[in-house]
Amino acid sequence: MSIKSPPTNREEVYKYLREKVLAGEVGPGDRLIETKLAEEINTSRTPVREALHKLEMERLIRSIPRVGYVVRDITEEEVEEICEIRLALETLAVKWASAKITSKEVKRLEKIIALTDNHIMKSETQAVVALDTEFHDIICKASRSQRIQEISHNLRDHMLRFRIKGLCIPEIASRSNEGHSRILNALKKGDVDDIESAVSFHLNSTKKDVKKVIEKRES
């Protein structure tokens, strides 16, 4: 990928490197070398250095003396923490969305669930991941809370690279989609207990699946 637009150079470099990390193109422990990245992106070292600093602030990479930047791993403790925070946040998002969501948004959520099943059958992982992200984004947007959207997006990003590996497995992808279906049904009914139960089922399943990916990688 070559970035050629000077006015947005810094932001484009940052987005490009961030996507490489989140997509797993560079994995845990891999080095990010400033000079090589600048050559790859066809830019100077300054925007690369600034982008790496931002990624370090996001805890996606870390700086090691005399080594440089490496992609951070995610620990089981972090998975526990992120899922607990997401449980509280996304439960609130679904509750608020249940009172504010439009019929158009509901129809899109229904379509996403149907499309996901179809892509799982065809082993089209990229499409499954994109639809998974869109499902949660629509609900967060339907809460009509900018803060919920921002925080939720950031938390999901930190587990995305491990989530992608899990969604390659049909059993895990199907379980995730079942969770989405439960959430949507609870949202439609607007029942608080059902909403809490559905979000809990989905995120506990997600937590277990991400941990399996981590354990498999470490074995």
Side-chain angles (χ1 to χ4, degrees):
M1 174 179 178
S2 179
I3 298 173
K4 300 177 181 178
S5 178
T8 58
N9 207 4
R10 284 172 169 78
E11 188 62 22
E12 291 291 341
V13 170
Y14 161 70
K15 287 179 179 178
Y16 172 78
L17 294 179
R18 192 173 190 272
E19 285 172 8
K20 283 177 74 74
V21 172
L22 293 177
E25 291 180 38
V26 283
D30 287 351
R31 290 181 64 193
L32 295 170
I33 302 169
E34 206 175 282
T35 51
K36 288 186 177 180
L37 290 171
E39 289 176 10
E40 176 186 337
I41 301 170
N42 190 26
T43 189
S44 68
R45 292 173 61 179
T46 300
V48 173
R49 188 180 305 120
E50 291 175 359
L52 292 173
H53 180 66
K54 286 180 73 173
L55 294 175
E56 183 182 23
M57 295 293 288
E58 289 186 59
R59 294 176 57 80
L60 289 172
I61 65 176
R62 61 194 176 100
S63 178
I64 300 177
R66 295 182 296 278
V67 173
Y69 289 101
V70 297
V71 178
R72 282 189 77 249
D73 206 344
I74 189 170
T75 66
E76 289 195 15
E77 289 76 17
E78 285 178 300
V79 173
E80 286 279 353
E81 181 182 59
I82 290 170
C83 285
E84 283 300 311
I85 296 171
R86 281 188 64 190
L87 178 59
L89 189 71
E90 295 195 23
T91 298
L92 182 60
V94 178
K95 286 178 182 177
W96 287 2
S98 67
K100 301 172 183 177
I101 197 165
T102 65
S103 59
K104 183 178 179 180
E105 288 170 326
V106 170
K107 287 178 182 177
R108 180 56 190 169
L109 291 174
E110 292 171 340
K111 183 70 173 177
I112 286 171
I113 290 169
L115 286 171
T116 299
D117 278 335
N118 187 46
H119 288 302
I120 290 170
M121 289 175 61
K122 296 178 180 178
S123 299
E124 296 171 340
T125 305
Q126 267 192 323
V128 172
V129 172
L131 290 168
D132 179 90
T133 300
E134 185 184 355
F135 182 90
H136 289 280
D137 282 347
I138 289 173
I139 289 179
C140 287
K141 183 180 177 182
S143 74
R144 309 307 178 218
S145 167
Q146 188 64 35
R147 287 184 178 87
I148 282 180
Q149 291 179 61
E150 290 170 356
I151 298 170
S152 179
H153 185 270
N154 182 269
L155 289 171
R156 280 188 282 116
D157 276 356
H158 278 271
M159 291 203 303
L160 180 61
R161 52 203 160 125
F162 301 95
R163 190 78 175 126
I164 288 172
K165 289 183 173 65
L167 291 174
C168 291
I169 303 168
E171 178 189 351
I172 290 176
S174 294
R175 184 160 51 244
S176 174
N177 207 34
E178 180 189 350
H180 289 173
S181 183
R182 290 190 184 198
I183 289 171
L184 179 56
N185 289 335
L187 183 153
K188 287 177 180 178
K189 289 193 292 184
D191 183 89
V192 172
D193 290 338
D194 281 354
I195 288 171
E196 291 176 351
S197 176
V199 177
S200 179
F201 169 84
H202 181 54
L203 287 175
N204 282 330
S205 296
T206 297
K207 179 169 62 178
K208 290 175 185 175
D209 292 333
V210 171
K211 283 184 175 182
K212 285 178 184 176
V213 170
I214 294 172
E215 288 168 4
K216 187 175 180 180
R217 191 196 61 238
E218 291 175 347
S219 63

